[in-house]
């Protein structure tokens, strides 16, 4: 039985109001549904997220995971129902009313669409992608901050050939170039600083962060297709098609998990390297042993050998949350090291700089204070790391002054930063945009002038002349 065009359009409109999309549904929309049960977008197609602060596991809770899978299936039904039977339209309207996958699981003509869509796997992959994508920028920024705190040799660690000549991976070269921009202007990183341990640790950053970028990009490309492509089965079996999509997502997600595993170990190594420079012996011991990768041993293998695609993807997502915690701990330790070093000039906000300059004006025409000579000797951070440090510091302190630092406070900072690195936190968008803005300012990288090459080939005499201006 078919329904009228009016009823069909009304059902589709009801479904679209739940999804609130203008063009394509994105991974951030799936996270919004998993968290809040709806997608909130502003006018002119601009997405405006109004998150309620939730625990790390909120997106993978049974209710949230079910809503996310229901949103994926709802979108598939809407995309497919434009030229399909009315049962698809009815199912879309029913699902839009509840966003409960179990209660509204299609059983009629729409069942093949549900089977071929693999909604649960696609929803989990979308959550993984949404959480991993911003961490690619955050990982570079935290590595740059640790390089400053540990006084690593940035010139050597990030000396990667340009990818255009085929001598290096593009992502590896891009990571190295981005971090060089972030530490540009620093007086802390140099050939004589840090020593051999720092050099060995930071030399791994371009390759591993680059592989992480590749894995994130590959997963994002497939997830975006699976979210927005209508189901057109033709003569294919719906069940086998859905299983194939699940397996493809698992392959890319496990590649991401392997990269995350390596980055977790590297992050812990950098945090310990930074902590070793702390003068307070008790605090140094507590921060050095504050985190460990021992609990990750075997965790990934147990996830990967699971035959259930949904369980594998949940394990990868939880692994990603662990990485977020490790990055937050590393950033907190680096902040403590930089803050405790009196030889480093601390970055200040514009208002603080104006206040400081106003107090110095009465001395401008007379003798300089004795402290001025000492302040000139202080070493400065890089432009990018200074900006990043201010954002992180403001987030954990709320603008208040820190009288003293202990291991409990560092743990609180790490927890606060981990929530900042959560895509449900609006502050993450500001941090990522700031890092992107600095990196794209391109103060370090200058494209070499391409020489004009003239070639003359005389075919008869087989003589080739090549010269450049």
């Amino acid at each position: 039985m078919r329904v009228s065009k009016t009823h069909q359009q009304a059902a589709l409109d009801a479904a679209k109001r739940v999804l609130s999309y203008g063009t394509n549904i994105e991974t951030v929309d799936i996270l919004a549904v998993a968290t809040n049960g709806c997608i909130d977008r502003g006018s002119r197609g601009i997405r405006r997220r109004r998150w309620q602060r939730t625990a790390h596991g909120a997106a993978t809770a049974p209710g949230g995971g079910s809503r996310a899978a229901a949103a994926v299936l709802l979108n598939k039904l809407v995309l497919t129902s434009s030229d399909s039977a009315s049962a698809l339209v009815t199912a879309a309207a029913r699902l839009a009313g509840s966003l409960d996958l179990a209660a509204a699981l299609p059983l009629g003509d729409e069942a093949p669409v549900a089977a071929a869509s693999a909604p649960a796997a696609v929803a989990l992959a979308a959550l993984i992608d949404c959480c991993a994508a911003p961490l690619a920028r955050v990982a570079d920024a935290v590595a740059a901050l640790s390089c400053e705190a540990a006084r690593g040799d940035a010139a050597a660690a990030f000396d990667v050939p340009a990818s255009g000549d085929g001598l290096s991976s593009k992502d590896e070269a891009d990571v190295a170039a981005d971090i060089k921009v972030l530490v540009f202007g620093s007086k802390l990183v140099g050939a004589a600083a840090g020593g051999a341990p720092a050099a060995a640790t930071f030399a791994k950053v371009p390759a591993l962060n680059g592989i992480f970028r590749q894995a994130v990009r590959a997963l994002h490309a497939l997830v975006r297709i699976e979210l927005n492509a209508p189901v057109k089965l033709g003569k294919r079996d719906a069940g086998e098609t859905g299983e194939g999509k699940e397996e493809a997502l698992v392959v890319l997600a496990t590649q991401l998990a392997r990269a995350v595993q390596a980055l977790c170990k590297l992050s812990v190594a950098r945090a310990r390297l930074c902590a070793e420079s702390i003068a307070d012996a008790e605090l140094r011991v507590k921060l050095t042993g504050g985190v460990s990768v021992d609990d990750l041993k075997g965790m990934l293998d147990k996830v990967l050998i699971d035959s259930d695609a949904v369980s594998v993807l949940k394990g990868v997502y939880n692994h990603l949350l662990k990485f977020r915690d490790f990055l937050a701990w590393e950033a907190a330790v680096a902040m403590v090291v930089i803050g405790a070093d009196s030889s480093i000039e601390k970055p200040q906000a514009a208002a603080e700089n104006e206040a400081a300059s106003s107090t110095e004006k009465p001395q401008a025409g007379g003798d300089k204070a004795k402290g001025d000579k000492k302040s000139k000797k202080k070493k400065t951070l890089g432009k990018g790391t200074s900006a990043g440090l201010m954002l992180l510091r403001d987030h954990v302190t709320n603008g208040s002054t820190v009288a003293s630092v202990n291991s409990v406070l560092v743990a609180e900072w790490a927890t606060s930063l981990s929530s900042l690195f959560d895509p449900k936190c609006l502050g993450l968008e500001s941090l990522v945009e700031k890092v992107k803005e600095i990196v794209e300012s391109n103060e370090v990288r200058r494209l070499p002038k391409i020489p004009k090459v003239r070639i003359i080939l005389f075919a008869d005499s087989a003589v080739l002349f090549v010269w450049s201006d």
Side-chain angles (χ1 to χ4, degrees), residues 49 51 53 395 419-429:
R49 288 169 285 167
W51 302 110
R53 189 67 61 85
H395 180 79
S419 67
L420 172 64
F421 299 160
D422 189 326
K424 294 188 290 294
C425 179
L426 289 175
L428 177 62
E429 187 174 355

Side-chain angles (χ1 to χ4, degrees), residues 8 14 22 79 82 96 98 139 154 166 191 207 218 242 308-309 314 320-321 328 330 354 357 366 420 422 426-427 453:
Q8 178 176 335
L79 292 170
S82 58
S98 64
D308 182 7
K314 283 183 178 180
L320 196 60
L321 297 186
E330 178 190 353
E354 289 178 4
S357 62
L420 172 64
D422 189 326
L426 289 175
V453 178

Side-chain angles (χ1 to χ4, degrees), residues 164-208:
D165 51 16
L167 298 179
S168 66
S169 152
K170 181 181 185 303
D171 290 291
E172 181 180 357
D174 287 347
V175 168
D178 289 353
I179 296 181
K180 283 194 289 187
V181 172
L182 291 173
V183 300
F184 178 69
S186 171
K187 303 301 181 182
L188 298 176
V189 295
T201 301
F202 289 103
K204 297 179 182 179
V205 172
L208 294 182

Side-chain angles (χ1 to χ4, degrees), residues 26-74:
E26 301 290 347
T27 56
V28 67
D29 300 324
I30 300 302
L31 182 62
V33 171
T35 306
N36 297 336
C38 63
I39 298 173
D40 183 17
R41 293 186 180 183
S43 60
R44 294 179 293 179
I46 299 176
R47 192 174 292 104
R48 300 186 186 276
R49 288 169 285 167
R50 302 189 184 115
W51 302 110
Q52 298 294 326
R53 189 67 61 85
T54 57
H56 290 327
T60 54
S66 176
R67 288 195 300 270
V72 171
L73 180 56
L74 173 57

Side-chain angles (χ1 to χ4, degrees), residues 95-111:
L95 195 56
S98 64
L99 271 185
D100 186 349
L101 187 63
L105 192 65
L107 298 175
D109 294 343
E110 67 275 14

